[in-house]
Amino acid sequence: MAPFRNSRAAALPAKLSRSWLLASAADEANFAPALASEADSVVFDMEDAVPAPGKAEARERVVEALSTGMTAWVRVNGIETDYWADDLAALSKAPGLRGVMLAMTEKPEQVTHTAMRLQAGTPVLALVESALGIENATAIASAPGTFRLAFGVGDFRRDTGASDEPMALAYARSKLVVASRVGQLPGPIDGPTVGALGEKLLDACKVTQSMGMTGKLCLMPEAADFINQGLSPSESEITWAHELLEAHAAGAVVGDGSYLPRLARAQKISSLADSYGLWNA
């Protein structure tokens, strides 16, 4: 049997994952194509993608998949719902669980209570989707169990009445970026640009990257490759970093106060290029 997971993506640490693909748990046929895609991380979605009458069946098919060779993250229902406890009880025994995405995270203790119901060390990705969640983002980022923050754009817009214009969402994105830094987490994950591919999605990734976010959710397997491209160091950045690091190794003299910050940036770009396999791309 061929492996379920894209080998390149499987080897990438989740803290560096750029594309996060949500695969609906309403149909198990969605799982294998998602895992074989270019998505850095795959999330089986038992929340928004599954209507209430199908929640129990979706949970069963996810646990079955994660018990028969598949590995993935899982988006579980919010702690205020009737499904949260059952979701975690079932997933705590699933050997292929990589971590959970907690929907509608609004308070730090929600993450901690979620982590406590899973196997020790299971990472919890806090999906922040409301005004209250955004205002509590710093506390959520610092809570025991929080692995990374993600932005639920659609629900946040419904909660606040904000448009999808970058300026309208700038405060929320910035709050997640600053909170992640304070909590010593990897960069946060931006919400999906629904239906976008090609240049439209690459443009959306420019907004994501400019805000300091380092990942992005998507709903279609074919979107993952564009996100990976859009959230990676560019060819010109990699060339610049390579040249600066070569000159530094050869004994280049520190010229001014901006040299050490530039050197640190070059080292970061070089490290990401290695992790993403971009040197020969």
Side-chain angles (χ1 to χ4, degrees):
M1 180 185 295
F4 289 112
R5 190 70 178 106
N6 177 312
S7 58
R8 176 209 56 81
L12 187 70
K15 67 181 181 180
L16 296 178
S17 288
R18 300 155 293 183
S19 50
W20 290 76
L21 174 61
L22 292 163
S24 171
D27 186 346
E28 62 267 19
N30 295 321
F31 296 163
L35 292 171
S37 76
E38 286 298 320
D40 287 343
S41 286
V42 173
V43 185
F44 294 168
D45 186 5
M46 302 195 304
E47 196 233 0
D48 267 359
V50 181
K55 295 286 189 184
E57 291 82 359
R59 186 185 305 122
E60 290 173 5
R61 65 176 64 98
V62 166
V63 171
E64 172 69 15
L66 297 180
S67 301
T68 54
M70 293 188 180
T71 61
W73 290 69
V74 178
R75 175 154 73 164
V76 298
N77 292 279
I79 197 169
E80 302 294 337
T81 69
D82 295 332
Y83 313 109
W84 172 80
D86 289 340
D87 286 349
L88 298 178
L91 290 172
S92 67
K93 305 179 185 70
L97 181 68
R98 300 197 69 173
V100 302
M101 176 185 289
L102 178 63
M104 294 304 300
T105 306
E106 294 188 316
K107 302 173 184 176
E109 59 267 27
Q110 294 173 341
V111 177
T112 305
H113 290 161
T114 297
M116 289 172 62
R117 291 184 178 234
L118 297 165
Q119 292 286 336
T122 302
V124 179
L125 200 163
L127 184 62
V128 179
E129 310 183 71
S130 67
L132 180 57
I134 290 294
E135 284 304 285
N136 287 335
T138 304
I140 293 168
S142 301
T146 303
F147 170 72
R148 202 166 168 183
L149 303 181
F151 186 23
V153 174
D155 280 316
F156 176 79
R157 290 181 56 207
R158 281 189 285 275
D159 187 38
T160 61
S163 77
D164 62 353
E165 289 297 315
M167 185 60 73
L169 299 173
Y171 172 78
R173 286 184 169 122
S174 292
K175 185 84 173 186
L176 294 175
V177 169
V178 173
S180 295
R181 183 65 184 142
V182 171
Q184 300 183 350
L185 304 181
I189 300 159
D190 202 359
T193 303
V194 179
L197 293 171
E199 288 301 320
K200 183 176 181 182
L201 185 50
L202 290 173
D203 286 345
C205 288
K206 289 178 183 176
V207 173
T208 297
Q209 195 170 52
S210 73
M211 296 301 301
M213 307 180 94
T214 58
K216 189 170 176 64
L217 299 174
C218 59
L219 308 178
M220 302 182 292
E222 54 268 39
D225 209 22
F226 293 104
I227 292 172
N228 292 345
Q229 178 185 342
L231 297 184
S232 296
S234 67
E235 188 175 334
S236 62
E237 286 176 317
I238 293 171
T239 299
W240 170 83
H242 184 60
E243 290 174 351
L244 190 150
L245 292 173
E246 276 196 335
H248 181 75
V253 178
V254 175
D256 54 44
S258 71
Y259 181 78
L260 291 180
R262 284 189 290 119
L263 179 62
R265 180 168 178 265
Q267 290 168 335
K268 181 176 181 180
I269 290 171
S270 176
S271 177
L272 288 174
D274 281 339
S275 297
Y276 297 145
L278 300 176
W279 288 113
N280 299 311

